[in-house]
Amino acid sequence: MLSAIVFLPLLGALIAGFFGRLIGARMAEIVTTGLLGVAAVLSWIAFIGIGINGAETQTIEVLPWITSGQLQTSWTLRVDVLTVVMLVVVNTVSSLVHLYSIGYMAEDPHRPRFFAYLSLFTFAMLMLVTADNFLQLFFGWEGVGLASYLLIGFWYQKPSANAAAIKAFVVNRVGDFGFALGIVGVFAVFGSIDFDSVFAAAPNMAGRTFEFAGMQLDVMTTLCLLLFVGAMGKSAQFGLHTWLPDAMEGPTPVSALIHAATMVTAGVFLVCRCSPMFEYAPDALAFVTIIGAITAFFAATVGMFQDDIKRVIAYSTCSQLGYMFFAAGVSAYQAAMFHLFTHAFFKALLFLGAGSVIHAMHHEQDMRKMGGLWKLIPFTYAMMMIGTIALIGFGIPHVFGFAGFYSKDAILETAYAAGGVGSFAFIAGIVAALMTSFYSWRLAFMTFHGAPKWKHTAEEEHAHGAHAEPAQGDHAHAHAAHDDHHGHELHPHESPITMTVPLFVLSVGAVLAGLLFAPYFIGEENEAFWREAIKVLPAHHALHARHEVPEWVVWAPWVVTVFGFLIAAYYFLWRPQRAAALAAQNGLLYSFLKNKWYVDELYDLIFVRPAMWLGRFLWKKGDGWTIDGLGPDGVAARVLDVARGAVRVQTGFIYHYAFAMLIGVAALLTWLMFGGAH
C-alpha cells in the first residue's frame, strides 16, 4: 500500500506523458485524476493507522542505489508520522487539483502534457517526504524544482511565463547550493547521510567546532544553517522569496499545488525532519526564528496593496510560511506542521476559489475590474468567504474557530512563551495577523462587493473599440477570452461541477481540520502522536508553556483580526472613494509597499545587470575578439586570408610573371651590391 501511494502518481505521469496523444486528453485526465484519488485514499488510511492508531514506523527498501567507498545508500521509503502527515496533505490537495483542472483547463489543447506535469510534480514531492536519507530527499527536492519550472512555464508562448519559470529555477538554485553543501558537510562530519545514523550521532557533535578561514565555527550550527538556506529558497523566505509571486504566471491549479501542498512546504518539512540536529544548534534555531518573523511581516505588508487576485494570495502564502518557520525556530515543530496541515486546506481553497473567479470573469485577474460578483457566483463567494475566515484565523478563544485559528494562534502563543527572539516573532506575527485580516477582506470586498466595475470596463472597451487582455496570468484560453470581450459584455458565471466539488471538499477541511486534529498535533495527544518523528529537548518547552501565557496574549489575535476587518470594510465597503483617493496620491509608503520593497529592483542592480555586463564582455571581448581573433579560430582565419592572397597572385598572365621575375632580379642585384657578396 505504501509503495502504491508513492508510485501511482508516477504511473499516471508516464501514461499521460508518453501516451497522451494516443489515448486522448479526456482519458489522460481520467487516468491521472483516478490514480491520484486512489493515492489520496490510501494516504488517509496510512495516516489513521500510523498517526492516529500509533502503528510502527515502516521502512521499505525499493532498490540499492549508490555504493561508493564509505557512501552506501539505498532508495528506501521511510513512513513515519511526519511522512503520513505530508502524504495526506500532498495527495489530498493534488487529487483535488487534478479534478479541478479537468474543468479549468477544458479548453486547453495540451491537457495531457499538463496532467503529466501535475502528476510528476506530485511524485517528486512524495519522493521527498518519504526519503530515508539526505540524498534521496535532495533528488525529490530537485524534482519538484524541475516540475515547477515546467508548470510555471506551461504557457511557454508567453515571454512572462518563460521569465517566471527561469526566475523560479535560478533563485531555487541559490538555495539548493547551500543545501548541497549542507549534505556534503553532513557526510564529512558523520560519515553517513542516512537519517537514523546522523540523528543518533547528532548529540555527540553538540558544542564541537572546526576551523575555517581562521575562525572557530560550531559544527552543528554550520550544518543546520546550510540546510536552512535550501529551505529558504524552496519555501520562499525573505531574501530568496522573489520567485514566488512570479510563479502566478502558471495556470491557477498550479498555483494551488505549489503554494498549498507541495513545493513551498518542503522547507518546513526539512527543518522539522532535521529537528534532532537543529535542537543542538540554538544559534541556527534563532536565525530560523528571525527569518521566519521577518518574512511573515514583509509578505503581509506587500500583500496589502497588490491588485492581482492571485498575487495577494501568493504573498499570503509567503507570510504564512514565515509563521511556520518561526514556530520551528522556537522548537514548536509540532505547531509548524499543524499550521502546514491546516494551511494546505484553506490556501488551496483560496487559490482554487480565485481560479473560479477568474474563470467567471473570462480570465480577468485585476480586482480593480471586478466587484458585485457575490450574486452572480454565490457558491464561489461562499467558498472564498470560508477560506478567508480560515486564513485570518478567526475564532472565539476557548470556544471555536476555523482551521487557521487553532494553528496560528498556537504559534503566536508559543512564540510569546519562548521569550528571547520568540518575543520578536510574536510581535511580528501579531502585526502580520492584522495586515492579513486587512488584505484578505480587501480581496473579498473588491472582488465580490461594491459596484460591478467589470460593466464599466466593458463599456469603456466598447467606446474605445478595444478588447481587454487577460491580466498577467491565466490566459491559456486567450482566444476564448477575446471572443467573450468581442461582444463588449461580460457575463460572469458559476464554474462547472468539476471545479465546485473540490472547493466544497477543501472548505470542509478549512472549517474542521483545526478542531478535529488539534489534540493530536499540539494537544494532549501530541507526544503519543509524533513519537520519535520529532525530537525536542526538555529545555525547549515553549509548546507546553503556551498554556500559561497571559489571557491578553490569547485574545490579541482576535482583536487585531477584527480591527483589520473594520479597516478593510471602511475603505473598500463603506467608503471606497477614500481608498481610491489615497491610492491616487501614490505616497512614498504606498509606492514602497506596492513595489514590494524594491527587492527585485535591488537584485536587478546588484546581481542581474553586473552578470549581464560580464556575460556580454566575455562574449564580445573574450570569445569574439580574443578566441575568435587570436585563438585557433583566429589562426585558421589568418591562414585562409593568406591563401586567398596567394591565389590572387597566380593570375595566369605571362607579363605578370615576367614583371615579378624582373623585380626579383633587381632585388637580388641590390642585395649583392650592398654587402651580399661579403
Side-chain angles (χ1 to χ4, degrees):
M1 179 183 77
L2 298 176
S3 298
I5 293 173
V6 177
F7 290 107
L8 284 177
L10 176 61
L11 178 62
L14 294 175
I15 292 173
F18 289 106
F19 305 104
R21 291 186 178 181
L22 182 64
I23 63 177
R26 174 59 67 187
M27 187 56 66
E29 295 171 342
I30 293 173
V31 169
T32 53
T33 305
L35 291 174
L36 255 299
V38 173
V41 172
L42 295 177
S43 298
W44 278 99
I45 294 173
F47 176 78
I48 294 171
I50 295 177
I52 305 299
N53 295 334
E56 292 297 320
T57 296
Q58 299 185 39
T59 55
I60 304 169
E61 183 173 333
V62 178
L63 50 84
W65 197 7
I66 296 176
T67 300
S68 177
Q70 190 179 355
L71 177 61
Q72 297 184 2
T73 184
S74 300
W75 185 1
T76 303
L77 305 181
R78 178 192 186 94
V79 185
D80 58 7
V81 180
L82 199 59
T83 302
V84 294
V85 169
M86 294 301 297
L87 291 180
V88 164
V89 168
V90 173
N91 282 327
T92 301
V93 174
S94 183
S95 61
L96 293 173
V97 167
H98 274 72
L99 178 60
Y100 180 93
S101 299
I102 293 176
Y104 192 84
M105 302 293 289
E107 300 174 26
D108 195 283
H110 306 293
R111 297 196 300 281
R113 176 165 60 91
F114 179 76
F115 280 87
Y117 289 168
L118 281 184
S119 292
L120 178 65
F121 197 169
T122 305
F123 167 71
M125 189 66 186
L126 294 175
M127 183 177 174
L128 188 160
V129 301
T130 57
D132 191 46
N133 58 74
F134 282 101
L135 187 61
Q136 183 181 334
L137 189 150
F138 187 72
F139 267 73
W141 194 271
E142 294 303 300
V144 294
L146 169 64
S148 69
Y149 171 81
L150 296 173
L151 285 168
I152 294 169
F154 179 74
W155 290 323
Y156 55 85
Q157 300 92 341
K158 292 172 52 187
S160 57
N162 286 325
I166 293 172
K167 186 176 183 180
F169 200 78
V170 170
V171 173
N172 272 277
R173 296 294 72 73
V174 176
D176 293 352
F177 180 68
F179 188 24
L181 288 178
I183 295 174
V184 172
V186 166
F187 181 71
V189 170
F190 296 101
S192 174
I193 56 173
D194 293 334
F195 290 150
D196 288 336
S197 301
V198 173
F199 296 163
N204 299 326
M205 286 295 165
R208 295 195 183 186
T209 61
F210 70 101
E211 185 175 349
F212 178 78
M215 300 179 291
Q216 290 295 321
L217 302 177
D218 185 82
V219 171
M220 294 303 297
T221 299
T222 303
L223 293 178
C224 289
L225 286 177
L226 287 172
L227 295 175
F228 180 62
V229 169
M232 286 179 64
K234 198 65 72 183
S235 294
Q237 293 301 282
F238 183 72
L240 295 177
H241 68 279
T242 53
W243 67 271
L244 192 66
D246 291 338
M248 297 301 98
E249 289 293 338
T252 295
V254 173
S255 304
L257 195 56
I258 291 178
H259 287 72
T262 55
M263 186 169 169
V264 296
T265 63
V268 180
F269 170 80
L270 172 65
V271 173
C272 293
R273 172 62 82 196
C274 295
S275 61
M277 296 175 64
F278 277 88
E279 284 297 282
Y280 296 100
D283 291 341
L285 284 176
F287 183 74
V288 172
T289 305
I290 292 171
I291 291 295
I294 292 174
T295 304
F297 175 81
F298 156 77
T301 63
V302 176
M304 289 195 297
F305 299 113
Q306 298 301 304
D307 296 316
D308 185 300
I309 187 171
K310 287 172 62 179
R311 285 179 181 263
V312 175
I313 305 173
Y315 278 107
S316 168
T317 297
C318 194
S319 182
Q320 298 305 307
L321 288 165
Y323 279 95
M324 299 176 206
F325 275 111
F326 76 67
V330 296
S331 295
Y333 308 99
Q334 303 93 326
M337 289 301 300
F338 187 35
H339 197 48
L340 185 156
F341 182 80
T342 60
H343 176 264
F345 290 102
F346 61 73
K347 188 52 60 69
L349 176 61
L350 284 170
F351 265 116
L352 297 185
S356 185
V357 172
I358 295 167
H359 183 270
M361 292 294 295
H362 308 296
H363 306 282
E364 177 61 71
Q365 294 179 209
D366 193 333
M367 297 186 299
R368 294 171 297 183
K369 299 178 182 179
M370 298 182 186
L373 293 176
W374 73 273
K375 291 182 180 179
L376 300 174
I377 47 174
F379 182 81
T380 298
Y381 171 67
M383 297 299 100
M384 288 288 284
M385 289 301 99
I386 291 174
T388 297
I389 296 171
L391 168 63
I392 66 176
F394 185 77
I396 307 299
H398 313 301
V399 181
F400 173 77
F402 282 38
F405 165 76
Y406 292 93
S407 55
K408 188 159 70 174
D409 282 25
I411 289 174
L412 292 170
E413 293 164 11
T414 303
Y416 179 87
V421 291
S423 300
F424 167 72
F426 171 76
I427 296 172
I430 287 292
V431 177
L434 169 64
M435 293 185 287
T436 300
S437 179
F438 171 78
Y439 67 65
S440 297
W441 288 114
R442 172 179 177 265
L443 182 151
F445 296 147
M446 288 182 69
T447 303
F448 295 103
H449 294 275
K453 305 175 188 65
W454 43 273
K455 290 185 178 180
H456 302 303
T457 303
E459 291 171 359
E460 291 171 2
E461 290 168 8
H462 180 69
H464 292 87
H467 306 306
E469 288 294 330
Q472 294 191 29
D474 282 10
H475 53 295
H477 325 307
H479 61 281
H482 179 87
D483 290 342
D484 286 322
H485 286 300
H486 189 69
H488 307 298
E489 284 189 33
L490 286 173
H491 300 284
H493 54 281
E494 195 61 86
S495 299
I497 191 169
T498 53
M499 295 172 64
T500 55
V501 167
L503 292 178
F504 176 76
V505 175
L506 290 168
S507 70
V508 174
V511 175
L512 298 177
L515 175 67
L516 295 179
F517 296 104
Y520 298 101
F521 280 83
I522 59 173
E524 61 276 6
E525 303 286 340
N526 87 87
E527 292 183 3
F529 179 78
W530 292 108
R531 300 190 296 281
E532 74 281 357
I534 288 177
K535 180 180 179 61
V536 181
L537 295 178
H540 299 162
H541 53 77
L543 185 64
H544 297 288
R546 71 184 180 89
H547 298 292
E548 302 171 6
V549 299
E551 194 66 15
W552 70 266
V553 175
V554 176
W555 282 91
W558 184 88
V559 172
V560 297
T561 297
V562 173
F563 191 47
F565 166 80
L566 293 175
I567 297 174
Y570 176 78
Y571 280 107
F572 298 98
L573 194 59
W574 303 325
R575 297 288 187 273
Q577 66 277 8
R578 297 288 299 274
L582 289 174
Q585 293 177 5
N586 202 27
L588 185 63
L589 179 60
Y590 176 81
S591 298
F592 180 71
L593 299 180
K594 179 83 170 178
N595 290 282
K596 304 162 289 188
W597 291 27
Y598 294 101
V599 174
D600 283 279
E601 289 78 4
L602 184 64
Y603 283 0
D604 182 68
L605 181 65
I606 297 175
F607 300 114
V608 178
R609 293 186 185 180
M612 293 292 289
W613 178 87
L614 179 62
R616 188 171 286 105
F617 174 81
L618 293 175
W619 169 33
K620 294 292 186 181
K621 299 298 182 182
D623 185 60
W625 189 83
T626 305
I627 296 176
D628 290 344
L630 303 177
D633 290 345
V635 172
R638 300 294 78 76
V639 170
L640 184 60
D641 290 342
V642 171
R644 285 171 177 166
V647 167
R648 292 193 185 98
V649 174
Q650 305 297 325
T651 64
F653 293 107
I654 294 176
Y655 60 87
H656 284 172
Y657 299 144
F659 179 74
M661 292 172 64
L662 180 63
I663 294 297
V665 170
L668 180 62
L669 291 174
T670 302
W671 178 69
L672 290 172
M673 291 174 60
F674 290 97
H678 302 292

